[in-house]
Amino acid sequence: MSTEAGTRTTTTTQPSGRVGDSPLRPDGTLKVTGEFAYASDLWHDDMVWGVTLRSPHPHARIRGIDIAEALTVPGVIAVLTADDVPGENAVGLEHADQPVLASEFVRYEGEPVALVAADHPETARRAAQRIHVEYEVLPAVTDPRRAMDDDAPAVHQPGNLVRHLTLRRGDPDATAPVVVSLDFEVGMQDQAFLGPESGLAVPAEDGGVDLYVATQWLHVDQRQMCLALGMPKELVRLHLAGVGGAFGGREDLSVHVHASMLALRTGRPVKMSYGREESFFGHVHRHPAWMTYEFGAERDGTLVYARARTVLDGGAYASSTAAVVGNAGTLGLGPYRIPNVAVDAYGVFTNNPPCGAMRGFGCVQAAYAHEALMDELAEAVGLDPVAIRQLNGMREGDTNITGQVIDSAAPVAELLQIVRDMPMPPPADTSDIRSRPGAVGNTTHGEGVVRGVGYAVTYKNVGFSEGFDDYSTARVRLEMTGGEAVATVHTAAAEVGQGLITVEQQICRTELGVERVVVHPKNTAVGSGGSTSASRQTYVTGGAVKAACEAVRAVVLERAALSLGRPANELRLDGGKIVGSSGEVLVGLGEVLGEDAVEETVEYRHRPTHAIDPETGQGDAHVQFAFSAHRAVVDVDVELGLVKVVALDTAQDVGKAINPDAVVGQIQGGSAQGMGLALMEEIVVTDGHVRNPSFTDYLIPTILDMPPMQVKVLEYADPHAPYGVRGVGEPPTISSGPAVAAAVRAAAGKPLRRVPIRPEHITGT
Amino acid sequence: MDFLQPTSWTDALAARAERPDAVAIAGGTDVMVDLNFDRRRPGALLDLGRVPELREWAAEDGWVRLGAGVPYSRIIEELAIQLPGLAMASRTVGSPQIRIRATVGGNLGSASPAGDAHPPLLAAGAVVEVQSAARGARRIPAEEFYTGVKRNALAPDELIAAVLVPTAAGPQQFCKVGTRNAMVIAVSAFACALHPDRKTVGTGIGSAAPTPRRAPDAEDFLAGELQAAGLWDSRGRLPEELARAFGERVAAAASPIDDVRGSAAYRRHSLSVMARRAVTWAWNDLREAA
């Protein structure tokens, strides 16, 4: 793999691990050697085990629950139902519409109905099977395209519409000489994180509970738990356990309230750990989408208008569906200049599995439609796929479809040019079976294999949008320990594997000029860090850490200025010393600090965003945009429909690479996840039932499916963001899949309007 | 649940006879999945991992006697010449870790229609050797061994001792379609073996019927056409239309279903393509060897 660092000027040889370096992450070796303690490794000496009984039906009325037999199982300590929820029996990320435990209705297969605590997990599972729930099975709404029909049963009152986003700009009835249109369908992808949901709830002497859990946002969990447990937040303390991936699937609650209820009832620490199958029912998925798109253009390919209608299946509860609709609407036409626009995006309730946040958040689905249509337009006007995108691509200063001015770099044309100019992969090495479509399956020795190339480009909002008060809190402390200056940084921002801990350390080293930075365990003893999602933590929590460091530094330099008799603005912190403007050492930090610790806590907010107009969808909805482009090269066995991705090359503007190795890691992982949706990843749901809740049949890419990547990182600083950073994690997940799909279409010569593309779609059998 | 761990074949057979409620376990790659999901809760597990006799193979008079406990990784390393079809299929089993644990005996015991070892065993004309303490050993041709979805011809007191596979007298091929390029359960699979000594053709179909099965019409058709055209002796080029017709007959022998892994129509189609390609490769290998 080649990794080039665009416009970066910082050297990476500096051993100290400052901003722009790539220090090793503290959890890296532990994870590779299998020694990292994930949430599933949590242990407490006298703990008991909790399990969840879930609904077998997509929609049913609960006539009664009989727990008597379950209570007689030796080893069982408690069996709880909706009647035992101490507070309000309702949780939810944006709307509290989901019962902690179902009381009157179950609305999806897998909805929690009852809890068991026992001295052994197997005992608890067996006891759960002895809870007798009487269900009256009800008709289920399983086709989201019919969910808004008058005769569709209501999943919730008053109806099945979660959000309808209307966006109108320019002349929505504009006409054009060249018109192309298509329908596109995206299947339900799963986050497929490797560490299933897990947590340990420990009852405390003060009547409260300490919950150790794998999550993405401790404080939004705490808020929901307080309501459900009927307890003040002082008594509901959360601690981040080892997180084995998240990708949006840990934004909603899982074991949190359940384990805490069992712990508070039994007075014992309670551990809950889902297996892989339960995990598929224990978190939300990416919304499946049905999209109808139309572009009108001049004969030279310049876009005149775009129309889009998108239906997203939200499943049984709201979760973050409204915000996903927001993205699918406001960003749903891609990074293009389009003067006349009419978009309608709908999120609906059904009795399918609940859908919510997943990496790319509404932009992933839309990108399949607008990128496939852009290829259609290129064909119609006689341009190649790169040229049509460069012709219409956004530039800095352009206005997007909600009327927002793109006020920092928008290098659409350049990103496309970079990936186009990258060296093409050599012809397939036919001597190695692993390099052919089907690989070790030995299905072709070259017969039927056609190579295809495809391009895609995207832009994605970074941070929370549409007026959300999006902030993060950091507490930074500087003190002398054993003769060495040590900074301690405390945030509640979740490390889920992306490398935030390392970034926090790098920022502290840079701002405070110390080598040693201790990252305090993440918990709710400090203010909210906001969600580890929306590609926002390096920006927002990074901004908070930077601001807290600056506050600490100001105090320290002021003290030094007093004792040195020099103005503070002529002093700097470096190498644990106070240095002058030309770098001369003036005094050690120890002499300034003495026994004192300087500690500051700061809340950092990015520029505010605004709600969009309910009629026109116009408004400055987003704070920052991140751009990426991919070129995919595939070999397709067109007779068998098997695909080998030969190359998946990308260019992305990251503003500033705080940790260049981690940036490339995000880009590689995100690209693989995007490719997975294009070719194999789908939760198959039939009549409201999940048919493949296992890694046997929910396939994610292996090393033989993912090619080596050429990655080009651009660093066009966003002047409004700390260090100029731009979110990194999501764009690769958005543009990689459509590029792969385009390459497969090119090879197969078929429209292929659905992903994942299955072998039978390519062969037509 | 009791855990029985005999250290000799005699003890294993005795334990099998005494405990009809025991499930035999070799590598555990199938059995443990069922246990973890609580699909099975046998009274005992009969671990065959400590029985040395099962972990050996030997060449005997034109056959390889392959102990039921020889893992796939060793078949790939040690038997690629003698049993090329089985070695190719072994290469597609699970992940490297799974191939170190999993065994042909386990595949036969589970008798899943998707088991990767079955098609090459059928194509080669393998025989399964089973044994009980009471009645001794008996031999069952592979095609009679599979009796239904995940059912086989073992009596309750019997264990699988070995599988006897004729040493390849001609080229063999194995193809497997999955929706991913590694570590995937077969959507469909096909094996063929050319027996130039007998002027016959062997076939095996996987994941496309309630049991692994042969395609006898396709075998007879191709052998007959080759004979009629004198190709067995001349080793001339295999006519494309003959390979295609063979593929169609293989597809016709399947009775596939629609499931979450693939459609019946695709399974049938892919079998016709795999059979056409595989037999062409095998025939070309035969010509090159001449």
Side-chain angles (χ1 to χ4, degrees):
Chain A
M1 187 196 66
S2 81
T3 304
E4 296 171 73
T7 56
R8 192 184 319 126
T9 52
T10 324
T11 75
T12 52
T13 53
Q14 206 175 33
S16 60
R18 298 187 180 207
V19 166
D21 300 341
S22 293
L24 291 180
R25 43 192 303 164
D27 52 338
T29 303
L30 294 173
K31 284 177 174 170
V32 172
T33 55
E35 292 171 282
F36 184 82
Y38 288 100
S40 51
D41 299 314
L42 288 164
W43 191 265
H44 200 289
D45 277 345
D46 55 346
M47 74 184 190
V48 297
W49 295 81
V51 304
T52 313
L53 178 70
R54 294 172 181 275
S55 166
H57 305 295
H59 197 196
R61 184 190 302 276
I62 296 177
R63 288 288 183 200
I65 304 178
D66 180 358
I67 63 170
E69 191 187 338
L71 282 168
T72 65
V73 175
V76 167
I77 299 161
V79 179
L80 304 183
T81 67
D83 293 340
D84 300 300
V85 177
E88 204 176 325
N89 188 12
V91 294
L93 207 47
E94 294 174 3
H95 308 283
D97 67 344
Q98 179 161 4
V100 172
L101 293 169
S103 53
E104 195 180 353
F105 296 100
V106 289
R107 296 183 176 88
Y108 70 97
E109 181 194 28
E111 181 160 358
V113 175
L115 305 169
V116 179
D119 55 9
H120 190 280
E122 197 52 40
T123 304
R125 273 192 282 274
R126 305 207 136 204
Q129 290 166 8
R130 299 192 185 186
I131 298 171
H132 301 289
V133 184
E134 190 189 339
Y135 292 106
E136 176 194 344
V137 174
L138 300 172
V141 186
T142 57
D143 183 347
R145 292 164 293 182
R146 306 293 307 279
M148 289 177 291
D149 290 357
D150 291 338
D151 58 349
V155 180
H156 294 276
Q157 297 300 336
N160 294 336
L161 182 64
V162 182
R163 183 180 183 185
H164 172 201
L165 183 150
T166 317
L167 196 151
R168 300 287 182 272
R169 179 166 180 80
D171 175 8
D173 301 317
T175 58
V178 180
V179 176
V180 289
S181 64
L182 56 66
D183 294 313
F184 207 103
E185 188 180 329
V186 175
M188 184 186 289
Q189 189 179 20
D190 189 69
Q191 296 83 356
F193 41 68
L194 294 185
E197 293 81 350
S198 200
L200 175 70
V202 184
E205 284 183 2
D206 63 2
V209 64
D210 284 86
L211 178 72
Y212 299 81
V213 70
T215 183
Q216 291 180 241
W217 188 358
L218 293 164
H219 284 79
V220 83
D221 296 352
Q222 184 188 40
R223 173 173 62 73
Q224 297 171 78
M225 288 174 66
C226 287
L227 282 171
L229 295 172
M231 287 164 63
K233 66 181 182 184
E234 293 73 25
L235 295 180
V236 181
R237 299 169 290 260
L238 278 81
H239 310 262
L240 188 69
V243 184
F247 314 111
R250 299 189 206 271
E251 288 193 30
D252 298 80
L253 296 183
S254 59
V255 302
H256 305 57
V257 179
H258 299 161
S260 299
M261 280 172 61
L262 289 169
L264 291 166
R265 176 64 73 95
T266 63
R268 303 274 295 274
V270 174
K271 179 170 175 179
M272 296 185 78
S273 244
Y274 297 170
R276 179 57 58 194
E277 182 176 21
E278 184 172 20
S279 178
F280 275 99
F281 296 96
H283 62 257
V284 300
H285 315 292
R286 189 192 296 292
H287 292 77
W290 288 260
M291 299 170 286
T292 300
Y293 273 54
E294 181 176 304
F295 283 170
E298 303 290 359
R299 293 193 196 285
D300 71 353
T302 305
L303 283 169
V304 175
Y305 73 83
R307 293 181 195 126
R309 183 179 191 276
T310 296
V311 176
L312 297 167
D313 183 359
Y317 293 99
S319 183
S320 50
T321 291
V324 173
V325 169
N327 271 12
T330 61
L331 302 165
L333 296 174
Y336 302 113
R337 272 172 288 120
I338 313 171
N340 305 296
V341 173
V343 173
D344 289 276
Y346 303 85
V348 298
F349 286 124
T350 65
N351 295 113
N352 290 325
C355 289
M358 184 174 169
R359 195 178 196 174
F361 206 80
C363 295
V364 168
Q365 297 92 330
Y368 279 99
H370 64 67
E371 291 304 271
L373 194 53
M374 201 52 93
D375 287 342
E376 286 286 301
L377 181 60
E379 176 95 26
V381 301
L383 289 177
D384 71 60
V386 170
I388 191 83
R389 288 171 171 81
Q390 290 180 320
L391 176 69
N392 290 292
M394 274 177 186
R395 296 172 298 224
E396 184 170 352
D398 281 341
T399 303
N400 72 5
I401 62 171
T402 73
Q404 182 167 4
V405 174
I406 310 297
D407 62 0
S408 70
V412 174
E414 182 182 358
L415 292 168
L416 286 159
Q417 194 64 42
I418 291 167
V419 294
R420 154 175 275 187
D421 291 345
M422 283 177 175
M424 281 298 245
D429 171 11
T430 51
S431 69
D432 186 346
I433 193 171
R434 294 171 301 180
S435 67
R436 304 176 198 135
V440 295
N442 185 42
T443 46
T444 177
H445 294 175
E447 301 92 331
V449 177
V450 181
R451 181 158 286 192
V453 180
Y455 291 88
V457 64
T458 186
Y459 83 140
K460 169 73 180 50
N461 57 326
V462 173
F464 280 27
S465 296
E466 297 189 67
F468 192 92
D469 181 23
D470 191 17
Y471 70 96
S472 180
T473 315
R475 178 177 297 154
V476 171
R477 177 185 176 96
L478 185 61
E479 63 200 319
M480 299 302 293
T481 301
E484 189 186 0
V486 177
T488 302
V489 56
H490 188 186
T491 76
E495 165 70 59
V496 302
Q498 82 277 37
L500 180 67
I501 286 175
T502 315
V503 165
E504 290 180 353
Q505 290 177 316
Q506 290 177 259
I507 292 173
C508 288
R509 288 193 196 105
T510 302
E511 299 302 327
L512 297 176
V514 298
E515 293 294 314
R516 221 177 124 205
V517 180
V518 175
V519 178
H520 191 284
K522 311 278 192 175
N523 57 32
T524 49
V526 66
S528 173
S531 182
T532 295
S533 57
S535 307
R536 65 179 283 287
Q537 284 297 21
T538 298
Y539 184 149
V540 188
T541 291
V545 171
K546 180 171 185 277
C549 286
E550 286 164 352
V552 167
R553 189 176 62 206
V555 171
V556 172
L557 293 182
E558 201 53 52
R559 279 199 204 178
L562 274 175
S563 66
L564 290 168
R566 288 180 163 214
N569 60 12
E570 289 178 9
L571 304 177
R572 287 192 293 119
L573 283 175
D574 200 5
K577 309 234 173 0
I578 312 288
V579 301
S581 46
S582 54
E584 73 280 18
V585 174
L586 299 173
V587 62
L589 202 48
E591 291 161 65
V592 177
L593 287 176
E595 298 292 305
D596 292 353
V598 176
E599 181 179 288
E600 295 290 336
T601 304
V602 173
E603 276 183 8
Y604 173 82
R605 284 173 167 75
H606 57 66
R607 289 182 295 161
T609 59
H610 303 280
I612 55 172
D613 182 279
E615 304 285 319
T616 64
Q618 298 298 291
D620 291 350
H622 308 296
V623 65
Q624 187 187 63
F625 302 96
F627 294 81
S628 69
H630 275 82
R631 180 189 67 190
V633 182
V634 303
D635 282 342
V636 179
D637 180 341
V638 297
E639 268 192 298
L640 284 176
L642 301 181
V643 177
K644 173 77 180 176
V645 181
V646 177
L648 188 55
D649 299 323
T650 187
Q652 181 170 336
D653 175 21
V654 306
K656 165 71 183 173
I658 301 292
N659 185 319
D661 282 358
V663 163
V664 172
Q666 284 286 310
I667 291 172
Q668 291 171 327
S671 298
Q673 201 159 26
M675 180 267 276
L677 175 58
L679 295 179
M680 62 187 83
E681 292 192 37
E682 182 175 9
I683 295 182
V684 180
V685 181
T686 305
D687 300 330
H689 294 280
V690 174
R691 296 174 63 198
N692 55 340
S694 73
F695 279 167
T696 304
D697 285 314
Y698 183 89
L699 301 180
I700 57 177
T702 70
I703 194 75
L704 278 188
D705 299 285
M706 185 65 192
M709 292 183 70
Q710 300 178 77
V711 179
K712 173 79 168 179
V713 173
L714 297 183
E715 296 185 279
Y716 293 133
D718 178 347
H720 309 286
Y723 304 109
V725 296
R726 223 176 266 285
V728 172
E730 290 171 286
T733 315
I734 304 168
S735 50
S736 70
V740 171
V744 175
R745 283 193 297 270
K750 289 209 162 74
L752 302 174
R753 299 297 187 224
R754 186 186 195 283
V755 290
I757 298 168
R758 300 177 61 101
E760 55 261 41
H761 299 155
I762 296 172
T763 60
T765 51
Chain B
M1 191 189 313
D2 297 325
F3 189 64
L4 314 174
Q5 201 167 47
T7 55
S8 73
W9 181 235
T10 310
D11 288 352
L13 291 174
R16 171 76 286 181
E18 279 167 29
R19 293 296 298 265
D21 61 334
V23 165
I25 179 169
T29 58
D30 258 353
V31 172
M32 287 311 297
V33 174
D34 277 358
L35 295 188
N36 285 336
F37 279 97
D38 212 8
R39 291 180 196 133
R40 284 213 260 195
R41 189 146 292 264
L45 281 181
L46 174 54
D47 177 23
L48 301 173
R50 304 284 172 94
V51 179
E53 295 93 325
L54 295 178
R55 300 184 71 82
E56 293 167 7
W57 67 265
E60 297 174 355
D61 195 21
W63 296 72
V64 171
R65 186 178 186 282
L66 181 69
V70 177
Y72 289 106
S73 55
R74 282 183 55 203
I75 296 172
I76 296 165
E77 286 166 21
E78 300 168 22
L79 288 165
I81 304 294
Q82 299 93 320
L83 309 179
L86 184 61
M88 291 169 91
S90 302
R91 182 79 182 78
T92 74
V93 173
S95 62
Q97 296 92 329
I98 296 285
R99 292 194 286 274
I100 289 167
R101 293 288 306 169
T103 64
V104 174
N107 237 191
L108 290 165
S110 294
S112 159
D116 294 313
H118 307 314
L121 294 181
L122 287 166
V127 175
V128 184
E129 184 184 304
V130 303
Q131 197 170 338
S132 65
R135 301 180 305 284
R138 64 182 178 121
R139 291 182 171 183
I140 309 168
E143 60 184 297
E144 294 168 21
F145 186 76
Y146 314 107
T147 56
V149 177
K150 299 195 174 182
R151 285 190 291 116
N152 59 33
L154 271 186
D157 64 345
E158 285 176 328
L159 289 170
I160 301 165
V163 56
L164 289 98
V165 193
T167 307
Q172 300 184 350
Q173 285 288 341
F174 173 79
C175 312
K176 165 176 157 181
V177 163
T179 318
R180 160 167 91 179
N181 284 310
M183 230 169 86
V184 69
I185 292 182
V187 172
S188 56
F190 176 74
C192 71
L194 298 180
H195 309 301
D197 50 338
R198 289 178 276 145
K199 298 185 178 175
T200 59
V201 176
T203 59
I205 293 172
S207 279
T211 65
R213 61 165 66 156
R214 289 170 49 197
D217 286 351
E219 295 173 1
D220 293 346
F221 164 78
L222 182 61
E225 292 292 313
L226 291 169
Q227 181 68 22
L231 289 168
W232 284 117
D233 299 317
S234 72
R235 302 283 164 99
R237 185 175 293 278
L238 182 71
E240 200 177 316
E241 56 274 24
L242 186 52
R244 188 174 299 277
F246 172 72
E248 286 163 4
R249 280 168 168 78
V250 167
S255 339
I257 56 166
D258 289 320
D259 68 14
V260 75
R261 292 176 193 147
S263 68
Y266 175 77
R267 287 188 157 104
R268 223 182 260 285
H269 165 78
S270 61
L271 277 172
S272 74
V273 175
M274 287 190 289
R276 161 165 47 91
R277 290 180 181 176
V279 79
T280 305
W281 303 332
W283 187 259
N284 288 344
D285 287 346
L286 186 65
R287 297 182 69 212
E288 280 171 27

